[in-house]
């Protein structure tokens, strides 16, 4: 499979990688979430070549992750702002940050902390179930074919031994 064919794959991971799957793009997105918006600021922070930076920014604009807005007219200069599609990448970036904090931070500790503005506390991102709000781990998730699955994926799923769903938690009984 060629890199430029990822967008055609019937896999959400592959399709996502076709947009954000290189190191410079991930670092650009990190900086976007840190309120960096201007080309020269990205260039100064990342030390990336100007043509590569321009290419990655344009790809994010073309894929509606960023929008390009003029902030100056003479000469025309633009800044890059996250769209809703871009903001929806926040959990992805936070998960990468958390993994880095846990496994790559070194003896000095985390390079940055994240504070929840509502409660005022520093936090670690936690993946939760959208239905029951319980925290999730990899061992508690089963992958099943969705409506867009290819026939080969459906065949593998049928041949796999199904795991029983855990019994629903009993509702707390009032104390009498």
């Amino acid at each position: 499979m060629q890199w430029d064919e990822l967008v055609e794959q019937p896999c959400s991971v592959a399709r996502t990688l076709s947009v954000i799957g290189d190191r410079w793009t991930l670092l650009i997105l990190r900086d976007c979430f840190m309120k960096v918006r201007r080309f020269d600021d990205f260039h100064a922070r990342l030390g990336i070549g100007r043509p590569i930076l321009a290419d990655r920014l344009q790809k994010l604009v073309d894929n509606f992750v960023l929008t390009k807005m003029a902030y100056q007219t003479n000469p025309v200069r633009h800044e890059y702002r996250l769209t809703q599609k871009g903001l929806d990448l926040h959990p992805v970036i936070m998960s990468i940050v958390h993994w880095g904090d846990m496994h790559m931070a070194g003896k000095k500790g985390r390079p940055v902390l994240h504070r929840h503005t509502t409660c005022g506390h520093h936090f670690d991102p936690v993946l939760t179930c959208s239905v029951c709000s319980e925290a999730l781990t990899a061992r508690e998730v089963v992958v099943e074919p969705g409506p867009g699955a290819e026939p080969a994926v459906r065949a593998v799923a049928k041949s796999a031994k199904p795991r029983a769903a855990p019994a629903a938690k009993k509702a707390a009984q009032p104390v009498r």
Side-chain angles (χ1 to χ4, degrees), residues 32-122:
C32 287
F33 284 108
M34 296 175 78
K35 310 291 190 244
V36 176
R37 294 189 174 125
R38 297 181 179 177
F39 186 95
D40 288 337
D41 295 336
F42 286 115
H43 184 256
R45 286 177 56 91
L46 298 173
I48 183 176
R50 295 178 82 79
I52 294 171
L53 177 59
D55 177 70
R56 297 313 189 275
L57 287 168
Q58 189 59 52
K59 185 173 187 176
L60 291 168
V61 169
D62 291 345
N63 283 279
F64 308 103
V65 174
L66 298 178
T67 187
K68 190 174 174 180
M69 302 174 67
Y71 70 87
Q72 176 181 310
T73 57
N74 193 12
V76 175
R77 294 198 179 260
H78 295 92
E79 63 183 17
Y80 298 86
R81 293 187 176 243
L82 290 159
T83 63
Q84 186 59 54
K85 188 174 179 179
L87 290 168
D88 288 344
L89 286 166
H90 189 252
V92 174
I93 299 299
M94 289 303 299
S95 292
I96 293 170
V97 167
H98 182 64
W99 187 89
D101 287 347
M102 299 300 293
H103 300 288
M104 306 297 290
K107 292 180 182 179
K108 289 185 177 181
R110 300 171 184 207
V112 297
L113 299 173
H114 295 87
R115 182 181 308 278
H116 183 209
T117 57
T118 302
C119 72
H121 291 93
H122 291 124

